[in-house]
Amino acid sequence: MRRLGWIAPVSWGRVQFGASKAGAVDVPRFAAGHVDDLPGAHPEVDWAQLRTVGKGRRSPLAGLQAQLA
């Protein structure tokens, strides 16, 4: 959804994994309201189908991204 330009982070936070600082990464933070607004802003998306995509599976949004590029 970020790549499609539908949502943007409101801030960034540093998260550390494990005991090493080498494991720290910056992660985007999104406003809950902005995320909640996505289905209304994009009714063309089958949101029920998106919610069932399993871990490691390609998102149907990947096809939308290719069409927009």
Side-chain angles (χ1 to χ4, degrees):
M1 292 177 227
R2 280 183 60 200
R3 290 184 188 132
L4 290 168
W6 293 356
I7 194 166
V10 294
S11 66
W12 290 80
R14 192 129 180 101
V15 177
Q16 187 164 334
F17 294 95
S20 165
K21 288 193 185 230
V25 295
D26 291 323
V27 295
R29 295 179 181 156
F30 300 93
H34 295 166
V35 175
D36 290 343
D37 292 343
L38 284 168
H42 298 281
E44 72 278 12
V45 173
D46 184 348
W47 294 96
Q49 178 191 17
L50 276 180
R51 289 182 185 101
T52 64
V53 174
K55 183 177 179 180
R57 297 285 193 189
R58 188 165 178 85
S59 169
L61 294 178
L64 286 177
Q65 181 180 358
Q67 293 173 5
L68 294 176

